Structure formats: structure tokens, C-alpha cells
Amino acid sequence: VLPPLVCGFAKMGTPTLLERDGAGPQPGRLAASHSLDHGSATVLSERPSLVDPIALELCRMIEESASKIQGANLEVEARLGVVEQHPPSVPSSFDEAALASRRLDLPCSSEALLRQRRGFAYRFSPGLSPEAFVGLSEYLERKSSERIPEEQRIECGQRFEHTVDTHYSADVSAYLPKGAHQAFEGSNKVRISVPKDGRGEATSQATVKVRIGNLDLYTGRRPGQHGPAVDLRVAINAEVPINFTPGPHHQPLLRREKVRKSLHFPHWVIDVTTVMTSEPQARGPDRQQDVRWRPPVQANEVELELDRYYLGENLDAKMAGKRHKLWELLSDFLFAARDLAVIAGETSPLVALPSLKPPLPELLDETTRGAFREAHYHIEEP
């Protein structure tokens, strides 16, 4: 697969997936401001065919789950990471060498859709190495900067967030809206997100999230000298906000402090996040404040989330037998995710050596040399 000719998320126009007045869209692909805005292409100007079966499977999974998540929000996201051996052969670490050594080595030089089955086990580890994360962050920052010409710029909105998510173990059945119990049956985790921007507990949000399914895309065997390998996981989740306040009997499971920059495009959002994850070490018998946390572990996460409005509108139209563009929406989303993974795996040019001034005729004066001879008379002067 060739590197992308242009990012699938670059300079996308505002296509009319469904007219807001109720009229269906005209046949054809998403309207865009440029012929290359649909994503990467092969040398024959054709799209790689692997995206088609993934989009087909996504459509099937979304349709099957639509009737089970009434009252909840449907979320489709693509996360960048590495498909690892299971169990891992080396300890967990996010440096580039460790990630490369833990990555699953399959005899495949191109993309492959993986499935767990007997005799073949793996796990997906989200996150990038610090080098790849910084390189991708700088690329997006540079491409979205207003200092570059408009024709080279990625037009998008930006947002910064600093939040702390605390996950609790709790029986959530009493908090779920009507119609959502089937999808969230057996779920016992609640996430409370508190902004660290001065607003504090007054704006905290409690949510329950359950995974419906996921697809793992192995991007092929990649020699280290060609840059870090980056794989993809496309996940479908259901999420619902609830009115929940943790009590002393609720066990904390995890705390994640996130510093996130979001790039908002017409149909998806790119989240570039630094995460500090802590696990509880001990807890007092009575008070919530007695929770002690282990030292945090840093991770660098990048994900692409599909806009819920366009997903919901097209899904409703498809389920009602009306005109829709769900296939085009999911396909373009997948191409943008693949482009993002390719960019994260590109090697950056080596930094040019600084220009040094010519050396002085005498680096040390005679006084300094005399002090050396006096202190080290038994050693030959260098």
C-alpha cells in the first residue's frame, strides 16, 4: 500500500449526507472540495479493496446493535496501536524498541484483518511510542497552522482538554435509561470525568460505556528501518450518561489523567492524548479520600472518532429503507484512519548537524597548562 497522496481528512468539504430538511441525498460519493480528498489511492487511481470488507463488517455490526442501544449513544472509533503477541514475550513498555519486539510477526507484507480463534491469540495495545507520537503531533500542528498557505492547510477546529477520569465498580442497572438495559447487561464499571480547568466537581460527568465489537487491522510486516509499525483497531461502543455519585462502598478501579488536543473535522474528530494511568494501591475502610494510588504510567494515545450526528442520521435512514450514505461515510472514515496510521509510521528526516565555528589555535592558555603539569607531573601532558 502506497503512502497516502493526501490525508483523507485534509480539507474535506461539508458533504450533505442527509439534507436537514428531510430530502435524501443524491447518489454518489461524499461531495468534497478536491478530487484527492477521498483518501489514499493506488497507482491505478483505485482504492485498496481491503477497506470494503471492513466497512461491510462495520455496517453489519452497527445494524445488529442498533436495536439494543436505545437511549444510548453509538460510538465508532479507530485507535492507533500495535497488535501484540499474547501472552507478551517482553515486559510492557512504550519505547519504540520494546513495541517493535512485542509486535505480532506474521508472514504478511500487506494489511490483514485479524480474528481471534483457537490456536491464534493476540491482543491490541493502544498507544504510540514517544517518537511516533511527537512526530504525528508536530505534523498535525504544522498542517493546521495558519502560518502556512491556505491551499496546504488542513482546515479544522481545535480544542484542548485536561480531565481526570476515575473508574468505579458499581451496579449500574438502576441508573440506565429505559431501553438500554439489554446492551449494558452485565456492565459494572462507571467512569466519572472531572475537568481540571477550575470548574471542578460541579461539571463532572458520569458515563457507562460498553464495547459492542471491534475489528483489528494488522498493517503488515515492517522492517524497523522503514519506521515504526502502527496497527489499527476499529471499535463500536455504546455510551450513556447517568446520574451517579460514588459512595464509600464503590470500589475505585482506575484513574486516568488526560491532556488532550482534539482536531474537529466535518465528519470525525482526531484526539491526540497524553494519558497518566494509576491503579489503586490501598484504601481506608470508610472514606473515599483514603484511596492511595500507585505511581502513574504514561501512554500516548491517538484515536479517530466518527461524528455521531452523521452516523445516527445515516443509520436511521438505512434502517427505515430510505436513501443514505452510511457506506460512503464509513469508507471515508476508514481511509482517514489508515492515512493517520501511515503518517504516524513515517520516518522523519534526521536533524541537520549544527554549524560549528573552527577550533581556536590554542584551546588552553599557558597558565592552565602549567597548572595541569604541576598537579599531574607524572602524567604526560595531552
Side-chain angles (χ1 to χ4, degrees):
V1 179
L2 295 178
L5 300 179
V6 67
C7 298
F9 49 80
K11 289 181 66 65
M12 283 292 290
T14 308
T16 306
L17 300 179
L18 281 174
E19 300 293 340
R20 295 180 184 264
D21 60 3
Q26 297 299 318
R29 297 202 59 80
L30 300 179
S33 59
H34 194 279
S35 60
L36 295 179
D37 284 337
H38 294 310
S40 57
T42 66
V43 292
L44 300 178
S45 299
E46 297 177 354
R47 290 192 162 195
S49 59
L50 185 62
V51 167
D52 291 345
I54 300 178
L56 182 63
E57 185 68 11
L58 272 179
C59 286
R60 184 191 64 79
M61 294 169 62
I62 291 174
E63 285 187 62
E64 289 182 354
S65 61
S67 59
K68 303 177 183 178
I69 59 171
Q70 296 179 8
N73 298 317
L74 186 65
E75 177 185 84
V76 177
E77 63 180 11
R79 308 185 74 180
L80 274 58
V82 172
V83 175
E84 294 183 350
Q85 308 168 41
H86 185 72
S89 57
V90 295
S92 296
S93 175
F94 283 96
D95 64 87
E96 199 162 300
L99 285 174
S101 62
R102 296 202 311 266
R103 187 172 184 255
L104 194 65
D105 186 22
L106 298 177
C108 177
S109 60
S110 60
E111 295 172 316
L113 186 60
L114 304 182
R115 291 184 184 277
Q116 299 272 10
R117 58 187 64 201
R118 185 177 181 181
F120 178 66
Y122 67 90
R123 69 169 189 163
F124 182 84
S125 177
L128 300 177
S129 66
E131 298 85 355
F133 182 78
V134 171
L136 179 61
S137 301
E138 291 179 346
Y139 176 89
L140 295 173
E141 179 71 26
R142 185 170 60 253
K143 284 294 185 179
S144 59
S145 173
E146 295 184 356
R147 294 190 296 269
I148 64 174
E150 184 177 355
E151 62 274 8
Q152 301 176 13
R153 189 187 313 151
I154 299 176
E155 298 292 347
C156 63
Q158 299 187 18
R159 181 182 179 184
F160 293 88
E161 289 181 319
H162 187 185
T163 59
V164 176
D165 294 349
T166 306
H167 297 246
Y168 294 91
S169 176
D171 181 10
V172 301
S173 58
Y175 302 95
L176 296 175
K178 186 178 180 180
H181 288 78
Q182 183 178 358
F184 291 87
E185 183 178 359
S187 179
N188 61 349
K189 293 181 181 180
V190 180
R191 181 187 69 202
I192 296 183
S193 181
V194 179
K196 293 196 68 174
D197 57 359
R199 292 179 291 173
E201 300 286 345
T203 57
S204 63
Q205 176 68 60
T207 56
V208 180
K209 184 175 181 178
V210 63
R211 179 183 299 175
I212 296 175
N214 55 258
L215 300 171
D216 295 322
L217 185 63
Y218 181 78
T219 55
R221 180 180 286 173
R222 185 180 179 93
Q225 62 268 26
H226 293 168
V230 180
D231 301 312
L232 284 170
R233 164 167 283 185
V234 183
I236 302 175
N237 308 308
E239 189 175 79
V240 59
I242 62 174
N243 185 16
F244 173 82
T245 302
H249 58 286
H250 292 128
Q251 180 67 29
L253 304 174
L254 204 67
R255 185 175 68 182
R256 286 164 52 91
E257 182 172 353
K258 301 184 294 187
V259 179
R260 169 175 291 175
K261 179 180 180 180
S262 300
L263 304 179
H264 293 260
F265 296 90
H267 305 101
W268 43 73
V269 178
I270 300 176
D271 291 327
V272 182
T273 313
T274 299
V275 184
M276 302 294 290
T277 303
S278 304
E279 296 181 351
Q281 185 175 17
R283 183 181 180 181
D286 300 321
R287 298 192 309 163
Q288 179 69 26
Q289 287 76 8
D290 290 336
V291 177
R292 290 184 296 175
W293 301 91
R294 298 182 186 275
V297 177
Q298 180 174 332
N300 308 299
E301 300 182 356
V302 178
E303 62 184 34
L304 189 73
E305 184 175 344
L306 194 58
D307 184 87
R308 294 179 181 178
Y309 170 78
Y310 289 109
L311 175 62
E313 290 290 293
N314 283 277
L315 179 60
D316 291 343
K318 187 177 190 303
M319 300 296 288
K322 300 178 182 179
R323 278 180 158 181
H324 65 89
K325 289 198 172 183
L326 184 60
W327 177 270
E328 288 82 358
L329 179 65
L330 293 176
S331 297
D332 285 337
F333 172 75
L334 291 171
F335 280 111
R338 292 170 69 251
D339 287 350
L340 200 62
V342 171
I343 295 170
E346 288 181 341
T347 55
S348 302
L350 296 177
V351 179
L353 295 175
S355 57
L356 302 178
K357 297 180 180 179
L360 300 174
E362 288 292 337
L363 298 179
L364 300 176
D365 56 26
E366 186 57 33
T367 303
T368 305
R369 290 181 178 278
F372 177 85
R373 288 193 296 267
E374 183 178 352
H376 307 283
Y377 57 88
H378 60 286
I379 301 177
E380 184 179 357
E381 183 181 348

